Amino acid sequence: MKFGHFDDKEYEYVITNYNTPLPWINYLGQDGFFSLMSNTCGGYMFYKDAKLRRITRFRYNNVPRDYGGRYYYINDNNTIWNPGFLPFKTKLDSYKCRHGLGYTIFESEKNKLKADLLCFVPLNDLCEINQLTLTNNDNKTKNVTLHGVIEWCLWNAVDDQTNFQRNWNIGEVEIDDQTIYHKTEYRERRNHYAFYHTNVKHDGFDSDLDTFIGLYNSWCDPSAVLNKTSYNSAASGWAPIASHMFNIELKPGESKTIIFQTGYVENDDDKKFTSLDVINKEKAYELQNKYNNKEKVEKAFNELKNKWVTLLSTLNVKSDNEKFDRMINIWNQYQCMVTFNMSRSASYYESGTGRGMGFRDSCQDLLGFLHLIPEKSRERIKDIASIQFEDGSTYHQYQPLTKRGNADIGGGFNDDPLWLIAAVSQYIKETGDYTILNDPTPFNNKEGSERPLIDHLRASLNFIITHKGPHGLPLIGRADWNDCLNLNCFSKTPGESFQTTSNFESGKAESVFIAGMFVLYGKEFATILKNIGNVDESNKVLKEVKDIEDATIKYGWDGEWFVRAYDAYCNKVGSHECEDGQIFVEPQGFCTMARIGEDLGYGKKALDSVEKILTNDYGVEILHPCYKEYHLELGEVSSYPRGYKENGSVFCHNNPWIVIANTVIGNNERAFDVYKRNCPAYLEDVSEIHKTEPYIYSQTIAGRDAKNYGEAKNSWLTGTASWTMFAASQAILGIKPDYEGLMIDPHLPKEIKNAKVTRIFRGVKYNITIENNNTSNYQMVVDGKTINGKVIPYDKTKKDVDVRISL
Ligand code: GLC
Ligand code: GLC
């Protein structure tokens, strides 16, 4: 069952039934001011950091769900309704929620009153604009009251939800004609405030939650709205809000527009106040004037739209498969941008108060995003590398506001260092710019410890080389990519963190997955070294790679697939010898991508096993059979009920590894089959089962052993976005940035016979036509000339390059 449809021309998903199986959300904002926006107008805003700088309040695990947003209550002759359906839940005569790239539009109608609500964050300003137009489609005059309202968060989102003995005393606002300023804690240590502004004068306001709602009422029946009034309340302590009320008369056919703006302002310490208790509003006025009429809003909105269209034109495909095109051209790239901005911090499943930016997560996010904004990627790489320690190990996370490593979580995830090589090598391939290797980058953000970035890569490799276990395989530490395989944890205490506890530091548990990573990214680093003329060092690295490759062939192969790990007692994990968890997906993907045991046919066998044992209707499960009991020696993986999360769901993140691996062994049909199984656009028709947004990847889809087989959870902030982008564009379509130029190496399935691709690469536009005759006869003609090999040598004197490939 569908709840809407794709509108590819407008780059939108249009939700036409507000009763979606879960809130279906979107993200607004690009450079500091961010908002989450659900299909009922729910969600919240923050500046840079959803934990430390939360602007509006949202209650996770609330009942009913998804309350807290920017709300517009329309009282039309005692019929009260909201354009986004919630909170009043009045049945609408028509409803559309158009989630687009960086904006959301609601178009709703009730009793011949139409509401058009445009919501977006302008490109270079720190505010959310909500432009609401009401149109009377009736043949008699309407007199309606309109209340707009948001609820302030007291900045630190954790404190806000916990420290009530303080919080109920500190709320402060300042009110003038068209604006409510939220200035809690501004008088002491904060230098920022927020405001809620409307471009026309209102007929009443409220800034105290209990007054606006009525102590025992709720967002579903606020007293002010029921009584068509405002109490002009000035919040002092308790819960500050901002609400403006308007009495609006609309003649038949008449429209009226009001622009609501929620803004964020920072002032220098010496410019905080204009007099005692009166905040300096200069910057706020500037922001308010910038968007005080329809023309200005429209201009800013068009700039935003154009920005996205230009950005997405970096890679565009038109094939005979509409869903594939739509994912690559629009939604997959869009999701990559969102994961780049948010890492795993703020979604409807990530509260924004837990994790900041993950080392491994952010490195991987770059893989799918780099081609869009390489400059930003370079900056990000530096931020990430700066939380690495001199021995090559890394902090696992940092807070975006401070950019300092998060000491509560610490480090010890032994895959982390290698992801840095993945990101940097991809950066060089995309840009051709090796100077990044010279960027002075500190260790652990310590002043004076700056070294060229290449030394960080050396440290990464060296960490693995100096931390091997009894089989010559890399030690796993607290965990590798699979955060839940905690082989040194041995936790018996409820609530103890599986990620940070080690009750039995064995110094023995090893990861075959990290071995696969080492071989893949070690070779990559060796190539980089060779390219910059360090041939000896390159050969040394290759020798280390060979050692780990040999160890993997010897101890990491189980007969039909790759072993997953060795536990603290040197027993195999992910082997036919085990009772549960006999096969794990991760090493099958990574070791095949790294071509370990290629001559021995390992990759092919491993992927056959993946298909036979792990593949279900919605993708490839992470392991099989699911753990039935808790295993002290394995940790969190065995804590989850069967079929969920790391215990046997389709953990979407590693499905693209299987897609890529299949193209590596030349099994194009199977690669595309795996791609389609969990691709949201292909699951749109079963939205009632899948439940999360049909335009966005989720982290997991419950596996065969789960009660709710096929149900997805944790949409948006997942490495699935970038890895699928990588798999679809580089492995299936085969448009691969490479050191010397652009490689074109398609692995298309039979069902895609033609594809026209435009790709802007290092400033040159490649117009590529691929004809898939399904032969193994590869031919490439570039600007009329047949070329040997698959790489188009980079020529910066050209603007456009015409490429014809037949297969
Ligand atoms: C989550 C984490 C990621 C980890 C994965 C598997 O998505 O963000 O870092 O690799 O789970 O456990
Ligand atoms: C839990 C999750 C895992 C995630 C980790 C992050 O272990 O199962 O997916 O990566 O938390 O802390």
Side-chain angles (χ1 to χ4, degrees):
M1 178 181 172
K2 295 211 256 183
F3 296 82
H5 58 265
F6 287 94
D7 182 343
D8 294 342
K9 262 198 19 234
E10 294 295 325
Y11 300 73
E12 289 172 353
Y13 191 82
V14 186
I15 302 164
T16 48
N17 177 350
Y18 41 77
N19 273 312
T20 49
L22 285 167
W24 284 1
I25 75 161
N26 192 14
Y27 284 84
L28 320 182
Q30 32 279 320
D31 246 340
F33 193 109
F34 291 107
S35 307
L36 279 64
M37 169 64 88
S38 74
N39 61 306
T40 62
C41 222
Y44 57 90
M45 309 169 200
F46 61 94
Y47 173 71
K48 279 196 179 162
D49 190 318
K51 176 178 176 183
L52 301 175
R53 214 47 71 81
R54 186 77 68 101
I55 296 171
T56 60
R57 194 173 267 165
F58 186 81
R59 296 170 179 84
Y60 281 86
N61 68 19
N62 202 2
V63 175
R65 224 187 244 264
D66 194 16
Y67 274 66
R70 58 301 269 159
Y71 290 134
Y72 299 94
Y73 293 92
I74 297 161
N75 190 333
D76 172 14
N77 201 14
N78 294 325
T79 299
I80 300 172
W81 60 283
N82 307 94
F85 178 59
L86 290 187
F88 225 85
K89 290 196 291 187
T90 300
K91 197 169 174 294
L92 301 175
D93 298 339
S94 73
Y95 158 93
K96 266 187 199 158
C97 165
R98 292 160 47 191
H99 281 321
L101 307 181
Y103 68 88
T104 293
I105 293 172
F106 292 89
E107 297 168 349
S108 308
E109 190 163 330
K110 182 72 190 173
N111 297 345
K112 306 214 161 138
L113 181 64
K114 173 105 194 289
D116 290 279
L117 175 64
L118 162 68
C119 310
F120 69 103
V121 172
L123 279 180
N124 300 309
D125 281 318
L126 302 179
C127 62
E128 182 182 305
I129 301 291
N130 291 183
Q131 178 175 276
L132 177 65
T133 301
L134 295 179
T135 306
N136 181 4
N137 287 331
D138 210 346
N139 50 17
K140 43 187 191 288
T141 298
K142 281 182 183 280
N143 283 294
V144 302
T145 51
L146 165 73
H147 286 83
V149 59
I150 58 165
E151 183 179 2
W152 302 114
C153 177
L154 305 180
W155 305 117
N156 180 322
V158 176
D159 246 41
D160 183 69
Q161 298 293 317
T162 48
N163 195 6
F164 299 105
Q165 59 80 28
R166 172 176 162 83
N167 294 347
W168 294 149
N169 294 285
I170 61 174
E172 286 191 285
V173 296
E174 228 174 284
I175 298 164
D176 69 20
D177 273 1
Q178 288 170 222
T179 315
I180 293 174
Y181 296 87
H182 176 227
K183 58 171 187 178
T184 299
E185 291 189 341
Y186 183 79
R187 58 199 295 275
E188 22 116 357
R189 291 161 298 174
R190 293 187 183 275
N191 67 345
H192 53 88
Y193 61 81
F195 66 81
Y196 183 76
H197 170 83
T198 33
N199 69 327
V200 290
K201 227 176 144 330
H202 55 70
D203 298 302
F205 67 88
D206 272 297
S207 68
D208 178 62
L209 180 73
D210 288 342
T211 309
F212 175 78
I213 285 196
L215 193 56
Y216 295 111
N217 286 21
S218 74
W219 289 108
C220 312
D221 55 358
S223 163
V225 174
L226 294 182
N227 294 312
K228 293 196 195 177
T229 189
S230 276
Y231 304 108
N232 298 346
S233 57
S236 175
W238 300 111
I241 60 161
S243 168
H244 287 171
M245 179 196 71
F246 300 86
N247 295 314
I248 301 171
E249 187 187 86
L250 289 166
K251 305 220 166 60
E254 195 185 4
S255 289
K256 281 193 181 146
T257 297
I258 301 177
I259 298 159
F260 294 78
Q261 183 186 33
T262 305
Y264 171 86
V265 169
E266 283 181 359
N267 280 334
D268 291 340
D269 275 350
D270 57 338
K271 297 213 179 93
K272 279 174 69 170
F273 294 94
T274 49
S275 60
L276 180 69
D277 283 347
V278 180
I279 62 178
N280 178 349
K281 306 191 181 69
E282 213 176 302
K283 287 189 188 167
Y285 293 152
E286 231 174 81
L287 213 48
Q288 292 161 9
N289 288 336
K290 243 178 131 171
Y291 302 100
N292 60 3
N293 65 37
K294 263 166 59 174
E295 292 67 38
K296 293 180 189 174
V297 168
E298 194 174 310
K299 182 164 168 278
F301 180 52
N302 285 334
E303 279 166 13
L304 174 72
K305 277 183 115 174
N306 290 339
K307 162 97 190 260
W308 269 107
V309 172
T310 312
L311 207 57
L312 294 183
S313 65
T314 311
L315 172 64
N316 186 280
V317 54
K318 199 166 171 14
S319 76
D320 41 14
N321 192 309
E322 190 188 35
K323 291 178 181 155
F324 182 63
D325 296 358
R326 140 187 322 150
M327 286 312 296
I328 291 200
N329 295 343
I330 308 173
W331 295 102
N332 201 170
Q333 295 200 75
Y334 183 55
Q335 189 177 357
C336 285
M337 183 68 115
V338 172
T339 57
F340 173 82
N341 286 333
M342 300 288 136
S343 191
R344 307 296 171 267
S345 67
S347 73
Y348 265 36
Y349 306 84
E350 301 278 10
S351 66
T353 65
R355 297 193 265 171
M357 315 291 282
F359 191 100
R360 86 156 75 85
D361 295 331
S362 292
C363 282
Q364 290 172 87
D365 290 344
L366 285 168
L367 302 178
F369 157 86
L370 245 158
H371 64 287
L372 292 176
I373 311 189
E375 324 80 65
K376 274 204 177 182
S377 309
R378 185 172 188 154
E379 234 178 274
R380 174 64 57 80
I381 286 173
K382 191 167 174 172
D383 290 346
I384 299 171
S386 301
I387 61 163
Q388 185 173 35
F389 297 103
E390 264 169 84
D391 71 351
S393 65
T394 75
Y395 271 118
H396 198 45
Q397 296 164 6
Y398 68 94
Q399 280 308 129
L401 205 60
T402 62
K403 299 195 176 171
R404 293 291 180 274
N406 180 345
D408 295 344
I409 308 292
F413 297 80
N414 286 357
D415 61 319
D416 274 336
L418 293 173
W419 292 115
L420 187 63
I421 303 181
V424 174
S425 58
Q426 199 53 39
Y427 174 86
I428 298 175
K429 288 180 182 177
E430 179 70 41
T431 60
D433 180 6
Y434 286 85
T435 63
I436 189 175
L437 295 172
N438 307 329
D439 282 356
T441 314
F443 287 101
N444 189 17
N445 278 298
K446 270 208 219 85
E447 234 175 276
S449 70
E450 292 80 4
R451 304 279 311 151
L453 183 68
I454 190 167
D455 283 359
H456 284 259
L457 305 186
R458 291 184 171 118
S460 287
L461 273 195
N462 203 44
F463 183 82
I464 311 297
I465 295 167
T466 52
H467 290 79
K468 290 192 205 164
H471 301 94
L473 293 165
L475 290 175
I476 197 165
R478 283 178 171 171
D480 60 23
W481 173 86
N482 189 333
D483 270 349
C484 297
L485 200 57
N486 318 111
L487 303 182
N488 300 304
C489 176
F490 290 82
S491 175
K492 281 188 181 163
T493 310
E496 212 168 49
S497 154
F498 289 104
Q499 263 87 52
T500 57
T501 305
S502 34
N503 289 317
F504 176 40
E505 202 45 84
S506 67
K508 286 188 182 150
E510 297 165 296
S511 162
V512 176
F513 171 76
I514 301 182
M517 274 188 90
F518 186 89
V519 174
L520 186 66
Y521 297 126
K523 285 193 229 166
E524 204 69 67
F525 188 53
T527 307
I528 292 176
L529 287 167
K530 200 176 90 212
N531 292 352
I532 59 170
N534 296 4
V535 177
D536 285 351
E537 192 186 355
S538 171
N539 288 334
K540 276 195 199 130
V541 169
L542 288 177
K543 159 90 189 31
E544 298 292 346
V545 165
K546 174 87 173 41
D547 286 352
I548 289 193
E549 197 168 0
D550 289 347
T552 310
I553 288 174
K554 196 151 168 211
Y555 300 110
W557 182 248
D558 196 53
E560 298 294 321
W561 55 80
F562 290 98
V563 176
R564 177 64 177 83
Y566 284 88
D567 69 16
Y569 308 115
C570 296
N571 292 324
K572 283 182 192 163
V573 180
S575 153
H576 70 284
E577 295 164 17
C578 309
E579 191 186 322
D580 290 326
Q582 293 182 342
I583 171 170
F584 280 67
V585 71
E586 304 96 309
Q588 320 316 327
F590 251 80
C591 294
T592 308
M593 286 195 262
R595 300 180 186 272
I596 297 178
E598 191 171 43
D599 304 344
L600 304 164
Y602 282 8
K604 203 186 155 310
K605 270 196 198 155
L607 296 179
D608 283 346
S609 301
V610 167
E611 168 152 42
K612 223 168 46 213
I613 305 170
L614 292 177
T615 306
N616 73 27
D617 298 321
Y618 307 107
V620 178
E621 292 170 357
I622 190 169
L623 61 82
H624 189 83
C626 304
Y627 291 105
K628 293 192 273 298
E629 285 158 22
Y630 176 55
H631 289 253
L632 207 52
E633 78 288 4
L634 299 178
E636 187 171 357
V637 67
S638 59
S639 76
Y640 283 111
R642 273 164 262 171
Y644 292 109
K645 289 281 283 174
E646 279 85 344
N647 191 17
S649 74
V650 172
F651 208 99
C652 300
H653 187 142
N654 44 42
N655 278 232
W657 301 344
I658 298 303
V659 172
I660 301 166
N662 270 301
T663 64
V664 167
I665 64 160
N667 198 336
N668 301 351
E669 295 308 314
R670 204 195 271 149
F672 199 61
D673 176 71
V674 174
Y675 171 81
K676 281 193 294 191
R677 276 176 203 259
N678 69 0
C679 182
Y682 290 85
L683 295 171
E684 191 193 10
D685 290 336
V686 291
S687 287
E688 78 285 7
I689 299 172
H690 188 69
K691 292 200 172 164
T692 52
E693 296 90 335
Y695 42 93
I696 288 300
Y697 282 95
S698 296
Q699 184 196 45
T700 63
I701 303 175
R704 286 165 294 186
D705 279 8
K707 280 228 174 70
N708 303 320
Y709 173 45
E711 180 184 80
K713 285 201 186 99
N714 196 357
S715 55
W716 284 94
L717 303 185
T718 159
T720 314
S722 58
W723 271 107
T724 314
M725 191 62 213
F726 191 90
S729 63
Q730 301 206 24
I732 296 174
L733 262 186
I735 315 290
K736 282 190 197 148
D738 205 351
Y739 298 103
E740 308 303 325
L742 193 61
M743 180 192 274
I744 320 273
D745 185 19
H747 288 273
L748 292 170
K750 285 192 203 117
E751 65 177 275
I752 299 185
K753 297 195 174 55
N754 299 293
K756 271 190 190 311
V757 186
T758 50
R759 172 68 152 91
I760 298 170
F761 173 69
R762 301 183 196 172
V764 180
K765 187 171 177 192
Y766 293 79
N767 301 301
I768 307 158
T769 310
I770 307 171
E771 204 185 286
N772 181 21
N773 302 317
N774 205 34
T775 64
S776 46
N777 202 350
Y778 178 99
Q779 243 212 353
M780 172 154 76
V781 178
V782 177
D783 286 335
K785 280 198 214 104
T786 305
I787 294 249
N788 286 329
K790 295 182 177 172
V791 180
I792 312 164
Y794 177 62
D795 178 352
K796 67 165 178 253
T797 62
K798 289 192 173 159
K799 277 218 137 38
D800 290 275
V801 178
D802 178 80
V803 186
R804 277 155 209 278
I805 309 272
S806 61
L807 302 164

